[in-house]
Each structure stands twice: as C-alpha cells, then as structure tokens.
C-alpha cells in the first residue's frame, strides 16, 4: 500500500491505537498492523526516527517499540540513546474505551533531553507512549505504540550553545 498518496492521513484515535493496533501487535497479528513499523527507539536519535516509518514527511510518526528493561530484575525501562534520553513527564493518563466504561490502556508522555545527567537540555521531540491494560510488563516481548512529534530540522547542531528549542505543542 502506498502511504504517501495524496489525501492519505494516518491519525488513529487513542481507542483505535489501543484496541486495534496495539492489541493486534501483542497477539501476533502482524499483517493487520503492517502500516506501522517496529523498531527500538533507543537505537535512533529522535530526528532519525521519521526516516524509519512509512510516512517520513508527515507531522506525526507512529511505530511499535519493545520496551527494554534497564536491569534484568527491575521494572525500570531503559530509554537512553547515544546522545540523550527520553524522560517521562507528567503522570500517566488513562485511556478509556469509546463508551467510557472501561480503562483500556495508559498514555505516558516522554520528552527527549539532549545530553546526559544534569547538563541535559530539553528538546521539542515528544513521544506519546501507549500501553495496553491487557498486557503485562513481564510479558516478552512487551510492545508499546509510540506517536512521535518534533521538527525534522531540530538536530544536534541546534543545541551547540546549550539552548533548548522549546516544546512541541499538541
């Protein structure tokens, strides 16, 4: 399927993200979710991620990622890249089904910080990470669906003076 055709816009609702895409991925129905690539977000810097998806010229990019634990005996997630890390901001937000009767998942907001430690600077790269309430963190593999937003021209050279480029608006 050509996802770059005129008029095509991929914008699933949060309910669709959890109940259709994420549930099909978790249950191994890859053919039903082939529009979304699977990749390790920590193997790429945020400005490299759009090149890995079906619609690289879009404003939002979607992909599955398998969460990697920081330590073998821990539930802490490793979200570190070579040049920085994804940091969770704010609290988890519950995602309800269309009827508003059942919590079907959780959304975590992550912001990319360029650099490590106390000198890390916030960038405008944001990921909304969707978790299914029907999956267990101990499940192997544990997949999440990520929605990435940022600016394609926001690359490492833009942080040479230690300035943050701000936060992407939603």
């Amino acid at each position: 399927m050509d996802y770059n055709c005129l008029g095509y816009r991929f914008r699933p609702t949060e309910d669709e993200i959890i109940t259709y895409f994420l549930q099909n991925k978790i249950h191994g129905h890859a053919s039903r979710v082939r529009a979304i690539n699977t990749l390790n977000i920590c193997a790429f810097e945020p400005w490299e991620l759009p090149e890995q998806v079906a619609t690289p010229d879009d404003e939002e990019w979607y992909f599955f990622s398998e969460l990697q634990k920081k330590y073998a005996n821990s539930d802490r997630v490793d979200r570190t890249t070579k040049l920085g890390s994804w940091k969770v901001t704010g609290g988890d937000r519950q995602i309800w089904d269309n009827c508003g009767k059942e919590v079907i998942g959780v959304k975590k907001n992550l912001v990319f910080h360029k650099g490590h430690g106390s000198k890390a600077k916030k960038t405008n790269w944001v990921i909304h990470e969707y978790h299914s309430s029907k999956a267990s963190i101990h499940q192997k593999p544990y997949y999440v669906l990520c929605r990435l937003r940022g600016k394609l021209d926001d690359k490492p050279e833009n942080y040479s003076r230690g300035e943050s480029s701000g936060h992407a608006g939603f």
Side-chain angles (χ1 to χ4, degrees):
M1 180 177 225
D2 182 12
Y3 297 107
N4 293 318
C5 59
L6 183 62
Y8 180 78
R9 184 173 168 207
F10 185 73
R11 293 289 187 276
T13 64
E14 291 182 331
D15 186 344
E16 292 169 332
I17 286 173
I18 302 280
T19 60
Y20 183 79
F21 292 101
L22 194 50
Q23 286 301 318
N24 277 308
K25 179 67 171 177
I26 290 169
H27 294 299
H29 304 295
S31 64
R32 295 182 185 169
V33 293
R34 66 179 179 263
I36 302 176
N37 292 347
T38 302
L39 53 97
N40 176 359
I41 64 168
C42 295
F44 301 93
E45 302 309 325
W47 47 88
E48 298 170 334
L49 289 169
E51 299 167 6
Q52 309 303 315
V53 299
T55 55
D57 296 329
D58 206 346
E59 298 171 356
E60 293 183 348
W61 304 276
Y62 295 83
F63 48 87
F64 293 108
S65 187
E66 181 181 347
L67 289 187
Q68 306 294 322
K69 290 186 178 180
K70 195 166 191 139
Y71 307 106
N73 296 331
S74 171
D75 286 343
R76 290 181 60 193
V77 177
D78 184 13
R79 294 186 176 101
T80 305
T81 71
K82 289 180 186 175
L83 299 178
S85 63
W86 292 98
K87 298 186 190 258
V88 177
T89 61
D92 294 354
R93 191 172 75 87
Q94 294 180 331
I95 306 296
W96 294 80
D97 66 5
N98 277 341
C99 301
K101 295 181 179 180
E102 178 185 4
V103 174
I104 56 173
V106 172
K107 178 171 82 171
K108 295 178 182 287
N109 294 322
L110 311 172
V111 174
F112 187 76
H113 287 72
K114 171 85 172 67
H116 298 284
S118 62
K119 296 185 179 187
K121 300 291 180 189
K122 183 167 76 169
T123 70
N124 73 330
W125 289 97
V126 176
I127 283 181
H128 289 177
E129 188 179 82
Y130 294 90
H131 300 251
S132 172
S133 59
K134 296 183 179 179
S136 166
I137 189 78
H138 303 291
Q139 174 182 329
K140 288 289 186 182
Y142 181 83
Y143 288 108
V144 295
L145 193 145
C146 300
R147 181 177 73 187
L148 171 71
R149 289 192 88 181
K151 293 184 180 176
L152 290 174
D153 61 350
D154 190 18
K155 297 187 178 178
E157 56 271 15
N158 297 347
Y159 304 104
S160 59
R161 289 174 287 197
E163 298 173 357
S164 173
S165 62
H167 190 277
F170 284 91

